[in-house]
């Protein structure tokens, strides 16, 4: 047997790129996408060359790359902090005590991610539904049978399956004997 030749490959080593270098590369790529359709993620190859099949602006992929470019330039997109509110931290007003800064400027603070424990506990309680005032557990619905009854039912299923297989085996053997008798 002939030895297998593996396809050629190239190993790309990881190296950190500075923000300025990344910004330059991204700006060059985005500028080239305006004139060369083969750089668009939704370009299709035809007999006459690559053509745009989707939107002219490049769709969602290029939109995200433009947002990354804006972030590398230092623009802040989608701030949570309203205009005129100054914060001392870099978390868009999410630090402790920032509610005071929001209140001083007449703005509502952003919604808190934490839910009150009492509200959560009330929401987790069993609600009455179409079954009336009784609890579902009181009616025995959804209860798991004890282990002994589950094992007994498993043994019964196994015995039934074994009996069915034996009967099928007898039927197949009888069919083979009839076929042999017809051949003779």
């Amino acid at each position: 047997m002939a030895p297998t030749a593996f396809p050629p490959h190239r190993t790309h080593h990881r190296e950190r790129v500075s923000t300025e270098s990344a910004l330059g590369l991204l700006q060059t790529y985005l500028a080239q996408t305006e004139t060369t359709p083969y750089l668009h993620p939704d370009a299709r190859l035809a007999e006459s060359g690559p053509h745009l099949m989707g939107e002219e602006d490049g769709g969602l992929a290029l939109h995200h790359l433009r947002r990354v470019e804006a972030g590398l330039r230092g623009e802040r997109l989608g701030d949570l902090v309203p205009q005129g509110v100054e914060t001392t931290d870099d978390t868009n007003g999410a630090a402790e005590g920032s509610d005071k800064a929001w209140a001083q400027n007449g703005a509502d603070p952003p919604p808190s991610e934490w839910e009150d424990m009492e509200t959560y506990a009330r929401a987790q309680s069993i609600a009455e539904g179409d079954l009336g005032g009784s609890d579902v557990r009181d009616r025995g619905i959804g209860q798991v049978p004890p282990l002994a009854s589950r094992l007994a039912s498993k043994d019964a299923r196994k015995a039934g399956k074994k009996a069915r297989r034996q009967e099928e085996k007898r039927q197949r053997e009888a069919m083979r004997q009839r076929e042999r008798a017809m051949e003779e």
Side-chain angles (χ1 to χ4, degrees):
M1 181 174 246
T4 305
F6 294 105
H9 71 280
R10 179 176 285 177
T11 304
H12 297 279
H13 298 285
R14 290 184 182 179
E15 58 183 66
R16 292 206 171 265
V17 179
S18 67
T19 306
E20 294 82 20
S21 174
L23 178 60
L25 291 171
L26 192 55
Q27 285 176 336
T28 303
Y29 175 77
L30 289 174
Q32 288 177 352
T33 58
E34 295 173 6
T35 58
T36 51
Y38 66 87
L39 292 175
H40 282 256
D42 57 351
R44 300 289 185 256
L45 186 59
E47 292 178 7
S48 60
H51 293 284
L52 291 178
M53 295 299 291
E55 303 171 9
E56 289 291 323
D57 62 351
L60 196 57
L62 290 181
H63 169 74
H64 286 304
L65 286 177
R66 287 185 189 102
R67 288 182 59 89
V68 169
E69 177 194 14
L72 289 172
R73 283 194 315 257
E75 294 180 24
R76 295 181 72 177
L77 304 173
D79 286 340
L80 292 175
V81 180
Q83 294 294 333
V85 175
E86 294 182 19
T87 58
T88 57
D89 57 350
D90 196 28
T91 59
N92 293 336
E96 279 188 43
S98 64
D99 290 345
K100 293 177 185 176
W102 288 88
Q104 289 173 354
N105 290 306
D108 292 331
S112 174
E113 294 181 24
W114 292 95
E115 185 176 1
D116 184 35
M117 184 63 175
E118 294 174 8
T119 308
Y120 175 78
R122 270 187 263 125
Q124 299 302 315
S125 66
I126 298 174
E128 293 182 17
D130 293 337
L131 298 175
S134 66
D135 192 1
V136 174
R137 288 176 278 178
D138 296 339
R139 295 179 180 219
I141 300 172
Q143 289 183 346
V144 177
L147 181 62
S149 66
R150 284 188 292 176
L151 291 177
S153 65
K154 184 177 181 180
D155 291 338
R157 288 193 310 268
K158 280 184 174 181
K161 184 176 182 179
K162 186 175 182 181
R164 282 191 307 273
R165 286 194 174 172
Q166 288 176 348
E167 180 62 30
E168 289 171 0
K169 189 176 181 180
R170 281 189 215 115
Q171 289 175 357
R172 282 194 302 265
E173 188 60 35
M175 181 73 79
R176 286 186 194 131
Q177 288 178 357
R178 277 187 247 137
E179 288 175 0
R180 286 183 197 146
M182 292 176 78
E183 288 177 1
E184 294 176 352

